[in-house]
Amino acid sequence: LGLVPGLSVRLAAGLGVIDLGCGRGRALNQLARRFPRSRFTGYDLSEEAIAFARAEAGRIGNTNVSFVVRDLSDFDRTARTDAFDLALTFDAIHDQAKPKALLAGIRRTLAPGGVYIAQDINASCRHHGNLDHPAGPFLYTISCMHCMTVSLAQGGDGLGAMWGRETAERFLREAGFEDVETYELPHDPMNLYYVSRA
């Protein structure tokens, strides 16, 4: 949150937040508990993950969060326009059947002045750019054995975890984000953080 000046203050006052590919909703439930005046929505394809997220929200007592089972492959066409102030994805874009459609939908669903924060794998899209990556072999294995197959099983693009910074920045701009900033954080050598503004 600190990557966007004033964002925590705005969340304390009340924003609409969406997490795409939210999984079990751990991040969103923590945010909902911390910022009770904001409203939070999580979408994920997995019914089991959404059931877990809903149960955890109930256990915590979060009344400002909802979790929905949703296929995001057509989000470019079905996303509500100007509906949210903040969009989040955590290592989720590279698993999607249609990652470009999801990114375009995120741009569509952000209200004017909205912000999209994405966490995704810190790598290059080019194999030779990852030769010195300390976790390179592991990440390529995970990508081939899980990330790509999750997408391909849905008839998707099979982007995979090693889509890389270059591809991510290009996809974000193609989705309509003109202002894209990329950060490496010292506590997280595995990921990059992209801050894109509507």
Side-chain angles (χ1 to χ4, degrees), residues 148-174:
M148 292 177 69
T149 55
V150 165
S151 175
L152 293 170
Q154 301 173 61
D157 298 339
L159 187 61
M162 300 302 277
W163 64 317
R165 176 178 185 157
E166 304 89 344
T167 303
E169 291 175 345
R170 177 167 55 86
F171 279 16
L172 285 164
R173 290 192 171 88
E174 288 175 359

PDB file of all heavy atoms in Angstrom, residues 148-174:
ATOM      1  N   MET A 148       1.116 -22.724 -16.413  1.00  0.00           N
ATOM      2  CA  MET A 148       0.718 -22.839 -17.813  1.00  0.00           C
ATOM      3  C   MET A 148      -0.424 -23.828 -17.985  1.00  0.00           C
ATOM      4  O   MET A 148      -1.363 -23.584 -18.757  1.00  0.00           O
ATOM      5  CB  MET A 148       1.912 -23.255 -18.668  1.00  0.00           C
ATOM      6  CG  MET A 148       2.981 -22.194 -18.782  1.00  0.00           C
ATOM      7  SD  MET A 148       4.414 -22.755 -19.716  1.00  0.00           S
ATOM      8  CE  MET A 148       3.702 -22.884 -21.356  1.00  0.00           C
ATOM      9  N   THR A 149      -0.365 -24.938 -17.250  1.00  0.00           N
ATOM     10  CA  THR A 149      -1.390 -25.966 -17.425  1.00  0.00           C
ATOM     11  C   THR A 149      -2.744 -25.527 -16.880  1.00  0.00           C
ATOM     12  O   THR A 149      -3.776 -25.927 -17.415  1.00  0.00           O
ATOM     13  CB  THR A 149      -0.956 -27.292 -16.783  1.00  0.00           C
ATOM     14  OG1 THR A 149      -0.620 -27.063 -15.412  1.00  0.00           O
ATOM     15  CG2 THR A 149       0.254 -27.869 -17.483  1.00  0.00           C
ATOM     16  N   VAL A 150      -2.763 -24.711 -15.822  1.00  0.00           N
ATOM     17  CA  VAL A 150      -4.029 -24.166 -15.323  1.00  0.00           C
ATOM     18  C   VAL A 150      -4.719 -23.379 -16.428  1.00  0.00           C
ATOM     19  O   VAL A 150      -5.925 -23.497 -16.648  1.00  0.00           O
ATOM     20  CB  VAL A 150      -3.782 -23.277 -14.081  1.00  0.00           C
ATOM     21  CG1 VAL A 150      -5.001 -22.427 -13.767  1.00  0.00           C
ATOM     22  CG2 VAL A 150      -3.419 -24.127 -12.878  1.00  0.00           C
ATOM     23  N   SER A 151      -3.947 -22.573 -17.141  1.00  0.00           N
ATOM     24  CA  SER A 151      -4.496 -21.776 -18.233  1.00  0.00           C
ATOM     25  C   SER A 151      -4.875 -22.643 -19.436  1.00  0.00           C
ATOM     26  O   SER A 151      -5.979 -22.535 -19.985  1.00  0.00           O
ATOM     27  CB  SER A 151      -3.478 -20.707 -18.654  1.00  0.00           C
ATOM     28  OG  SER A 151      -3.916 -19.995 -19.781  1.00  0.00           O
ATOM     29  N   LEU A 152      -3.966 -23.522 -19.842  1.00  0.00           N
ATOM     30  CA  LEU A 152      -4.216 -24.350 -21.016  1.00  0.00           C
ATOM     31  C   LEU A 152      -5.408 -25.284 -20.822  1.00  0.00           C
ATOM     32  O   LEU A 152      -6.133 -25.586 -21.780  1.00  0.00           O
ATOM     33  CB  LEU A 152      -2.960 -25.153 -21.358  1.00  0.00           C
ATOM     34  CG  LEU A 152      -1.769 -24.317 -21.847  1.00  0.00           C
ATOM     35  CD1 LEU A 152      -0.506 -25.178 -21.912  1.00  0.00           C
ATOM     36  CD2 LEU A 152      -2.067 -23.672 -23.188  1.00  0.00           C
ATOM     37  N   ALA A 153      -5.628 -25.738 -19.587  1.00  0.00           N
ATOM     38  CA  ALA A 153      -6.760 -26.622 -19.302  1.00  0.00           C
ATOM     39  C   ALA A 153      -8.099 -25.924 -19.541  1.00  0.00           C
ATOM     40  O   ALA A 153      -9.122 -26.582 -19.737  1.00  0.00           O
ATOM     41  CB  ALA A 153      -6.691 -27.132 -17.862  1.00  0.00           C
ATOM     42  N   GLN A 154      -8.088 -24.589 -19.542  1.00  0.00           N
ATOM     43  CA  GLN A 154      -9.302 -23.812 -19.812  1.00  0.00           C
ATOM     44  C   GLN A 154      -9.351 -23.340 -21.271  1.00  0.00           C
ATOM     45  O   GLN A 154     -10.152 -22.478 -21.610  1.00  0.00           O
ATOM     46  CB  GLN A 154      -9.349 -22.578 -18.899  1.00  0.00           C
ATOM     47  CG  GLN A 154      -9.344 -22.894 -17.419  1.00  0.00           C
ATOM     48  CD  GLN A 154      -9.207 -21.619 -16.598  1.00  0.00           C
ATOM     49  OE1 GLN A 154     -10.047 -20.740 -16.659  1.00  0.00           O
ATOM     50  NE2 GLN A 154      -8.141 -21.517 -15.847  1.00  0.00           N
ATOM     51  N   GLY A 155      -8.447 -23.906 -22.098  1.00  0.00           N
ATOM     52  CA  GLY A 155      -8.366 -23.450 -23.473  1.00  0.00           C
ATOM     53  C   GLY A 155      -7.720 -22.086 -23.592  1.00  0.00           C
ATOM     54  O   GLY A 155      -7.950 -21.354 -24.552  1.00  0.00           O
ATOM     55  N   GLY A 156      -6.897 -21.754 -22.588  1.00  0.00           N
ATOM     56  CA  GLY A 156      -6.316 -20.424 -22.499  1.00  0.00           C
ATOM     57  C   GLY A 156      -4.984 -20.271 -23.201  1.00  0.00           C
ATOM     58  O   GLY A 156      -4.533 -21.146 -23.942  1.00  0.00           O
ATOM     59  N   ASP A 157      -4.332 -19.138 -22.920  1.00  0.00           N
ATOM     60  CA  ASP A 157      -3.112 -18.745 -23.615  1.00  0.00           C
ATOM     61  C   ASP A 157      -1.859 -19.436 -23.082  1.00  0.00           C
ATOM     62  O   ASP A 157      -0.837 -19.455 -23.762  1.00  0.00           O
ATOM     63  CB  ASP A 157      -2.919 -17.227 -23.514  1.00  0.00           C
ATOM     64  CG  ASP A 157      -4.049 -16.460 -24.182  1.00  0.00           C
ATOM     65  OD1 ASP A 157      -4.745 -17.049 -25.031  1.00  0.00           O
ATOM     66  OD2 ASP A 157      -4.236 -15.273 -23.842  1.00  0.00           O
ATOM     67  N   GLY A 158      -1.901 -19.968 -21.850  1.00  0.00           N
ATOM     68  CA  GLY A 158      -0.735 -20.637 -21.286  1.00  0.00           C
ATOM     69  C   GLY A 158       0.446 -19.702 -21.080  1.00  0.00           C
ATOM     70  O   GLY A 158       1.576 -20.057 -21.385  1.00  0.00           O
ATOM     71  N   LEU A 159       0.196 -18.529 -20.544  1.00  0.00           N
ATOM     72  CA  LEU A 159       1.240 -17.515 -20.386  1.00  0.00           C
ATOM     73  C   LEU A 159       2.361 -17.993 -19.468  1.00  0.00           C
ATOM     74  O   LEU A 159       3.531 -17.935 -19.812  1.00  0.00           O
ATOM     75  CB  LEU A 159       0.624 -16.219 -19.850  1.00  0.00           C
ATOM     76  CG  LEU A 159       1.514 -15.000 -19.769  1.00  0.00           C
ATOM     77  CD1 LEU A 159       2.019 -14.603 -21.138  1.00  0.00           C
ATOM     78  CD2 LEU A 159       0.743 -13.833 -19.134  1.00  0.00           C
ATOM     79  N   GLY A 160       2.011 -18.462 -18.297  1.00  0.00           N
ATOM     80  CA  GLY A 160       3.001 -19.007 -17.375  1.00  0.00           C
ATOM     81  C   GLY A 160       3.674 -17.967 -16.502  1.00  0.00           C
ATOM     82  O   GLY A 160       3.688 -16.777 -16.793  1.00  0.00           O
ATOM     83  N   ALA A 161       4.266 -18.449 -15.413  1.00  0.00           N
ATOM     84  CA  ALA A 161       4.855 -17.573 -14.395  1.00  0.00           C
ATOM     85  C   ALA A 161       6.033 -16.763 -14.901  1.00  0.00           C
ATOM     86  O   ALA A 161       6.332 -15.698 -14.383  1.00  0.00           O
ATOM     87  CB  ALA A 161       5.287 -18.399 -13.186  1.00  0.00           C
ATOM     88  N   MET A 162       6.720 -17.258 -15.926  1.00  0.00           N
ATOM     89  CA  MET A 162       7.918 -16.581 -16.412  1.00  0.00           C
ATOM     90  C   MET A 162       7.608 -15.664 -17.590  1.00  0.00           C
ATOM     91  O   MET A 162       8.436 -15.470 -18.472  1.00  0.00           O
ATOM     92  CB  MET A 162       8.989 -17.614 -16.756  1.00  0.00           C
ATOM     93  CG  MET A 162       9.396 -18.477 -15.566  1.00  0.00           C
ATOM     94  SD  MET A 162      10.025 -17.532 -14.170  1.00  0.00           S
ATOM     95  CE  MET A 162      11.725 -17.304 -14.680  1.00  0.00           C
ATOM     96  N   TRP A 163       6.432 -15.073 -17.581  1.00  0.00           N
ATOM     97  CA  TRP A 163       6.070 -14.119 -18.641  1.00  0.00           C
ATOM     98  C   TRP A 163       6.959 -12.900 -18.604  1.00  0.00           C
ATOM     99  O   TRP A 163       7.232 -12.294 -19.624  1.00  0.00           O
ATOM    100  CB  TRP A 163       4.601 -13.770 -18.552  1.00  0.00           C
ATOM    101  CG  TRP A 163       4.121 -13.040 -17.323  1.00  0.00           C
ATOM    102  CD1 TRP A 163       4.460 -13.302 -16.027  1.00  0.00           C
ATOM    103  CD2 TRP A 163       3.185 -11.969 -17.282  1.00  0.00           C
ATOM    104  NE1 TRP A 163       3.788 -12.455 -15.176  1.00  0.00           N
ATOM    105  CE2 TRP A 163       2.999 -11.632 -15.924  1.00  0.00           C
ATOM    106  CE3 TRP A 163       2.473 -11.278 -18.247  1.00  0.00           C
ATOM    107  CZ2 TRP A 163       2.137 -10.613 -15.503  1.00  0.00           C
ATOM    108  CZ3 TRP A 163       1.616 -10.270 -17.836  1.00  0.00           C
ATOM    109  CH2 TRP A 163       1.458  -9.942 -16.483  1.00  0.00           C
ATOM    110  N   GLY A 164       7.456 -12.528 -17.428  1.00  0.00           N
ATOM    111  CA  GLY A 164       8.499 -11.524 -17.313  1.00  0.00           C
ATOM    112  C   GLY A 164       8.041 -10.079 -17.304  1.00  0.00           C
ATOM    113  O   GLY A 164       6.952  -9.729 -17.756  1.00  0.00           O
ATOM    114  N   ARG A 165       8.925  -9.277 -16.778  1.00  0.00           N
ATOM    115  CA  ARG A 165       8.668  -7.846 -16.616  1.00  0.00           C
ATOM    116  C   ARG A 165       8.337  -7.165 -17.947  1.00  0.00           C
ATOM    117  O   ARG A 165       7.411  -6.351 -18.037  1.00  0.00           O
ATOM    118  CB  ARG A 165       9.894  -7.189 -15.980  1.00  0.00           C
ATOM    119  CG  ARG A 165       9.810  -5.691 -15.832  1.00  0.00           C
ATOM    120  CD  ARG A 165      11.059  -5.149 -15.157  1.00  0.00           C
ATOM    121  NE  ARG A 165      10.950  -3.728 -14.912  1.00  0.00           N
ATOM    122  CZ  ARG A 165      11.651  -3.088 -13.989  1.00  0.00           C
ATOM    123  NH1 ARG A 165      12.523  -3.739 -13.232  1.00  0.00           N
ATOM    124  NH2 ARG A 165      11.508  -1.785 -13.814  1.00  0.00           N
ATOM    125  N   GLU A 166       9.082  -7.507 -18.977  1.00  0.00           N
ATOM    126  CA  GLU A 166       8.883  -6.854 -20.268  1.00  0.00           C
ATOM    127  C   GLU A 166       7.476  -7.099 -20.810  1.00  0.00           C
ATOM    128  O   GLU A 166       6.802  -6.181 -21.279  1.00  0.00           O
ATOM    129  CB  GLU A 166       9.924  -7.345 -21.284  1.00  0.00           C
ATOM    130  CG  GLU A 166      11.363  -7.162 -20.853  1.00  0.00           C
ATOM    131  CD  GLU A 166      11.930  -8.343 -20.054  1.00  0.00           C
ATOM    132  OE1 GLU A 166      11.129  -9.189 -19.571  1.00  0.00           O
ATOM    133  OE2 GLU A 166      13.160  -8.422 -19.920  1.00  0.00           O
ATOM    134  N   THR A 167       7.029  -8.338 -20.728  1.00  0.00           N
ATOM    135  CA  THR A 167       5.690  -8.684 -21.204  1.00  0.00           C
ATOM    136  C   THR A 167       4.621  -8.055 -20.327  1.00  0.00           C
ATOM    137  O   THR A 167       3.614  -7.545 -20.827  1.00  0.00           O
ATOM    138  CB  THR A 167       5.510 -10.215 -21.242  1.00  0.00           C
ATOM    139  OG1 THR A 167       6.528 -10.776 -22.071  1.00  0.00           O
ATOM    140  CG2 THR A 167       4.141 -10.599 -21.791  1.00  0.00           C
ATOM    141  N   ALA A 168       4.834  -8.094 -19.016  1.00  0.00           N
ATOM    142  CA  ALA A 168       3.857  -7.515 -18.094  1.00  0.00           C
ATOM    143  C   ALA A 168       3.655  -6.029 -18.368  1.00  0.00           C
ATOM    144  O   ALA A 168       2.517  -5.544 -18.461  1.00  0.00           O
ATOM    145  CB  ALA A 168       4.301  -7.729 -16.648  1.00  0.00           C
ATOM    146  N   GLU A 169       4.755  -5.299 -18.505  1.00  0.00           N
ATOM    147  CA  GLU A 169       4.637  -3.866 -18.760  1.00  0.00           C
ATOM    148  C   GLU A 169       3.953  -3.597 -20.104  1.00  0.00           C
ATOM    149  O   GLU A 169       3.140  -2.679 -20.229  1.00  0.00           O
ATOM    150  CB  GLU A 169       6.017  -3.216 -18.697  1.00  0.00           C
ATOM    151  CG  GLU A 169       6.588  -3.194 -17.273  1.00  0.00           C
ATOM    152  CD  GLU A 169       8.008  -2.669 -17.198  1.00  0.00           C
ATOM    153  OE1 GLU A 169       8.679  -2.574 -18.249  1.00  0.00           O
ATOM    154  OE2 GLU A 169       8.455  -2.352 -16.071  1.00  0.00           O
ATOM    155  N   ARG A 170       4.268  -4.406 -21.109  1.00  0.00           N
ATOM    156  CA  ARG A 170       3.627  -4.235 -22.420  1.00  0.00           C
ATOM    157  C   ARG A 170       2.133  -4.530 -22.339  1.00  0.00           C
ATOM    158  O   ARG A 170       1.306  -3.774 -22.875  1.00  0.00           O
ATOM    159  CB  ARG A 170       4.300  -5.153 -23.450  1.00  0.00           C
ATOM    160  CG  ARG A 170       3.649  -5.094 -24.829  1.00  0.00           C
ATOM    161  CD  ARG A 170       4.509  -5.742 -25.894  1.00  0.00           C
ATOM    162  NE  ARG A 170       4.870  -7.107 -25.593  1.00  0.00           N
ATOM    163  CZ  ARG A 170       4.111  -8.171 -25.878  1.00  0.00           C
ATOM    164  NH1 ARG A 170       2.938  -8.017 -26.479  1.00  0.00           N
ATOM    165  NH2 ARG A 170       4.518  -9.390 -25.591  1.00  0.00           N
ATOM    166  N   PHE A 171       1.762  -5.626 -21.666  1.00  0.00           N
ATOM    167  CA  PHE A 171       0.349  -5.985 -21.540  1.00  0.00           C
ATOM    168  C   PHE A 171      -0.430  -4.897 -20.795  1.00  0.00           C
ATOM    169  O   PHE A 171      -1.581  -4.602 -21.139  1.00  0.00           O
ATOM    170  CB  PHE A 171       0.196  -7.316 -20.807  1.00  0.00           C
ATOM    171  CG  PHE A 171       0.409  -8.544 -21.661  1.00  0.00           C
ATOM    172  CD1 PHE A 171       1.025  -8.468 -22.900  1.00  0.00           C
ATOM    173  CD2 PHE A 171      -0.003  -9.789 -21.207  1.00  0.00           C
ATOM    174  CE1 PHE A 171       1.221  -9.602 -23.669  1.00  0.00           C
ATOM    175  CE2 PHE A 171       0.180 -10.927 -21.975  1.00  0.00           C
ATOM    176  CZ  PHE A 171       0.796 -10.838 -23.210  1.00  0.00           C
ATOM    177  N   LEU A 172       0.172  -4.332 -19.760  1.00  0.00           N
ATOM    178  CA  LEU A 172      -0.503  -3.284 -18.988  1.00  0.00           C
ATOM    179  C   LEU A 172      -0.770  -2.064 -19.863  1.00  0.00           C
ATOM    180  O   LEU A 172      -1.860  -1.488 -19.827  1.00  0.00           O
ATOM    181  CB  LEU A 172       0.336  -2.898 -17.771  1.00  0.00           C
ATOM    182  CG  LEU A 172       0.322  -3.919 -16.632  1.00  0.00           C
ATOM    183  CD1 LEU A 172       1.461  -3.660 -15.664  1.00  0.00           C
ATOM    184  CD2 LEU A 172      -1.018  -3.887 -15.896  1.00  0.00           C
ATOM    185  N   ARG A 173       0.202  -1.695 -20.667  1.00  0.00           N
ATOM    186  CA  ARG A 173       0.004  -0.536 -21.547  1.00  0.00           C
ATOM    187  C   ARG A 173      -1.021  -0.849 -22.641  1.00  0.00           C
ATOM    188  O   ARG A 173      -1.849  -0.008 -22.992  1.00  0.00           O
ATOM    189  CB  ARG A 173       1.344  -0.089 -22.128  1.00  0.00           C
ATOM    190  CG  ARG A 173       2.232   0.543 -21.060  1.00  0.00           C
ATOM    191  CD  ARG A 173       3.439   1.270 -21.619  1.00  0.00           C
ATOM    192  NE  ARG A 173       4.082   2.015 -20.546  1.00  0.00           N
ATOM    193  CZ  ARG A 173       5.024   1.528 -19.740  1.00  0.00           C
ATOM    194  NH1 ARG A 173       5.440   0.278 -19.890  1.00  0.00           N
ATOM    195  NH2 ARG A 173       5.555   2.270 -18.780  1.00  0.00           N
ATOM    196  N   GLU A 174      -0.978  -2.070 -23.163  1.00  0.00           N
ATOM    197  CA  GLU A 174      -1.969  -2.460 -24.170  1.00  0.00           C
ATOM    198  C   GLU A 174      -3.385  -2.470 -23.597  1.00  0.00           C
ATOM    199  O   GLU A 174      -4.361  -2.254 -24.318  1.00  0.00           O
ATOM    200  CB  GLU A 174      -1.635  -3.836 -24.739  1.00  0.00           C
ATOM    201  CG  GLU A 174      -0.416  -3.839 -25.660  1.00  0.00           C
ATOM    202  CD  GLU A 174      -0.020  -5.235 -26.113  1.00  0.00           C
ATOM    203  OE1 GLU A 174      -0.682  -6.214 -25.700  1.00  0.00           O
ATOM    204  OE2 GLU A 174       0.955  -5.347 -26.880  1.00  0.00           O
TER     205      GLU A 174
END
